[in-house]
Amino acid sequence: MAGGSLKRAPKRKGIVVCLAAILLIRFGLMCLPGYPPDLQTYKLWALVAGVRGIHTIYDSPEPYDPARLSRQTGPEAKPIDQLQANYDYPPLYAYILAPFGWIYATLAGDPGRDYARSLAFTVLVKIPPLLFDLAIALLLLRRIRARGGLSGWPPSAAALAAFVYFAMPPVLFDSAYWGQPDSIHTFFVLMALFWALDGHAARTGVAIALACLMKPLGFPFAPLVGLALLLRAGWRRTALAACAALGAGLLLFLPYILSGAGPLVWERFTGHFGLMPFTSVNAHNLWWLLGSWRSAAEPILGPLTPTAIGLALFAAACAVVLLAAWRASRKSPAEEPWILAGAAIAFSFFFFSTHMHENHLFAILPFAVILSGRDRSWRAWAWGIALAALLNMAIHDQSLGKILFGNPRESAALRAIAGANAVFVSLLYAGFWFLGARRFRARLTSG
């Protein structure tokens, strides 16, 4: 007994030391300006929501205008009571940002004028992605331990799997450096899927609703979560989950309904789907190879637009994935087919859809960590995904782009690297289907 404790002590100490080092690195990255246009926007949203109230965040009937935002963050910035947030996200992010905006406004002397240049405020608005990255890591830790291993990870390696996710370079780049909130909707997607597999109807409904009301990127996972709950808990509990999802959505929209801003909020919420209507907004996917930054609404194949083609391809991939998960679940209650299905949904939506940004591959990262425990092939694929996601963001970063390429818009080197990475992503996508089909066949034949 004592000998076993002595052996475990160095391992625990090593994990603690590594975690402390990663937290130190993250803090350093959190102090950097990240991606200034988005970060300044998040600061403005936090300030308006935290000081004037959640119900004022959708305060302007005008669409998002970067020029207007720049006028509000310059030396001639307006007082806080005159700032317009031009918020264009679903409502959940405003709730999350509001406490941090209130903290900054309480501590700052003139928050409306100084917020754009404040290092403290930069760190504050990057705290939510940090907290949800920690939540994802803890979720992986608990799930692998509780289930006696998950997709090849033994329970004894649960802490390692959690640390791998938390320390992944693309996670650090997206959450700590850029301050993007992708970890928030990703956490709720994972939580919803795991709760669905456990048969927790109401919790599942609330979790998937929160994922969708954080970012529209949560919507593609709703059919998968619904199917998992239906097969594990039946029609009645699935209907209960739908009611819980509607209740959670109504609760989040309630302040806007009571303030009379309901129609404007709904218009802005649904209008989010049409923002940046281009084939690829720096996402190294299929549309980058076919032509990035082109109109996604102009027909290219008869009456079909790139958006319609992308959605059709994703719908086909989604149908195959759901059918495979359903067939595998009839043979075995194992969770691995659902992890494969979740990864397939995340990857297919990024690969086929238009309007995608350089950071929209993020949701696949925790699924990749889980799958990397299976064997060497999956580990190689997972690290390939991590490299592709990091390259996709890094070469389009404003600061790094200027250092590496001078004028990124006219750089042949940037276009060559981006094109090569898009080919790499395509190979990874094909490799995923090959490895995934092999796993599904193994499940079906062994069942």
Side-chain angles (χ1 to χ4, degrees):
M1 182 75 70
S5 299
L6 290 174
K7 290 179 180 179
R8 286 193 296 270
K11 294 182 180 179
R12 292 176 180 173
K13 183 178 179 180
I15 291 175
V16 170
V17 170
C18 291
L19 180 59
I22 291 299
L23 286 171
L24 185 62
I25 292 172
R26 287 191 73 122
F27 179 74
L29 292 172
M30 289 169 69
C31 293
L32 297 175
Y35 193 77
D38 285 355
L39 202 61
Q40 302 294 20
T41 301
Y42 301 154
K43 286 182 177 182
L44 176 61
W45 292 350
L47 203 56
V48 171
V51 176
R52 298 215 311 257
I54 295 289
H55 65 285
T56 69
I57 194 73
Y58 294 96
D59 54 6
S60 171
E62 301 176 14
Y64 172 73
D65 180 4
R68 187 186 302 112
L69 175 63
S70 66
R71 290 195 295 271
Q72 295 185 146
T73 58
E76 69 283 8
K78 298 178 180 179
I80 191 170
D81 60 341
Q82 298 180 22
L83 292 176
Q84 290 186 330
N86 296 112
Y87 186 78
D88 59 10
Y89 265 39
L92 179 60
Y93 195 32
Y95 286 86
I96 294 172
L97 286 175
F100 299 96
W102 178 85
I103 291 171
Y104 173 73
T106 302
L107 299 177
D110 187 3
R113 185 171 298 278
D114 299 333
Y115 76 92
R117 295 177 293 274
S118 171
L119 174 60
F121 205 9
T122 296
V123 174
L124 280 173
V125 297
K126 289 183 178 183
I127 289 178
L130 166 65
L131 295 178
F132 279 90
D133 273 335
L134 282 170
I136 291 174
L138 291 174
L139 183 59
L140 296 179
L141 175 69
R142 292 188 60 186
R143 196 71 183 182
I144 292 173
R145 281 182 176 173
R147 297 299 167 190
L150 186 61
S151 194
W153 284 97
S156 59
L160 176 60
F163 179 78
V164 166
Y165 167 78
F166 193 68
M168 288 180 84
V171 171
L172 295 175
F173 198 99
D174 184 82
S175 298
Y177 175 50
W178 272 2
Q180 293 289 334
D182 296 296
S183 60
I184 301 177
H185 75 273
T186 300
F187 167 77
F188 286 118
V189 164
L190 277 175
M191 193 77 264
L193 180 58
F194 288 150
W195 272 338
L197 294 173
D198 292 340
H200 298 304
R203 299 179 194 177
T204 299
V206 171
I208 195 61
L210 292 178
C212 297
L213 292 175
M214 174 59 209
K215 268 191 171 185
L217 293 170
F219 280 99
F221 296 92
L224 176 67
V225 170
L227 178 63
L229 183 62
L230 177 63
L231 295 176
R232 294 297 175 98
W235 285 102
R236 290 185 178 181
R237 296 191 63 79
T238 303
L240 174 61
C243 292
L246 290 174
L250 179 62
L251 189 61
L252 286 180
F253 280 105
L254 190 60
Y256 313 108
I257 297 173
L258 295 178
S259 67
L264 172 61
V265 174
W266 183 252
E267 180 183 347
R268 192 70 60 79
F269 175 68
T270 54
H272 185 91
F273 295 95
L275 291 177
M276 306 294 282
F278 302 103
T279 49
S280 170
V281 188
N282 287 339
H284 298 166
N285 58 9
L286 174 66
W287 294 105
W288 183 273
L289 293 174
L290 297 178
S292 63
W293 289 97
R294 297 178 180 177
S295 173
E298 295 182 2
I300 61 171
L301 187 61
L304 298 178
T305 65
T307 296
I309 294 171
L311 289 176
L313 290 172
F314 170 69
C318 190
V320 171
V321 167
L322 295 179
L323 178 61
W326 173 71
R327 291 186 62 193
S329 69
R330 296 176 61 191
K331 295 287 185 177
S332 168
E335 294 187 1
E336 185 187 20
W338 298 101
I339 300 299
L340 283 165
I345 296 294
F347 207 170
S348 296
F349 192 69
F350 173 82
F351 189 71
F352 289 126
S353 296
T354 57
H355 299 62
M356 290 289 103
H357 291 246
E358 54 267 51
N359 57 309
H360 286 171
L361 191 55
F362 186 93
I364 200 174
L365 296 177
F367 290 106
V369 170
I370 298 173
L371 292 171
S372 68
R374 171 53 53 191
D375 55 37
R376 291 181 179 178
S377 297
W378 279 111
R379 278 193 289 277
W381 175 85
W383 285 113
I385 282 290
L387 175 60
L390 178 63
L391 279 175
N392 200 161
M393 292 182 286
I395 67 172
H396 295 292
D397 177 69
Q398 289 188 348
S399 299
L400 289 177
K402 290 180 180 178
I403 294 173
L404 297 174
F405 307 111
N407 185 352
R409 292 186 178 182
E410 300 179 1
S411 173
L414 186 150
R415 291 194 296 271
I417 295 173
N421 195 45
V423 173
F424 183 44
V425 169
S426 302
L427 293 174
L428 288 169
Y429 188 67
F432 173 82
W433 280 100
F434 173 77
L435 294 173
R438 191 171 65 181
R439 287 303 306 161
F440 271 116
R441 282 198 301 269
R443 283 285 177 189
L444 292 174
T445 55
S446 64

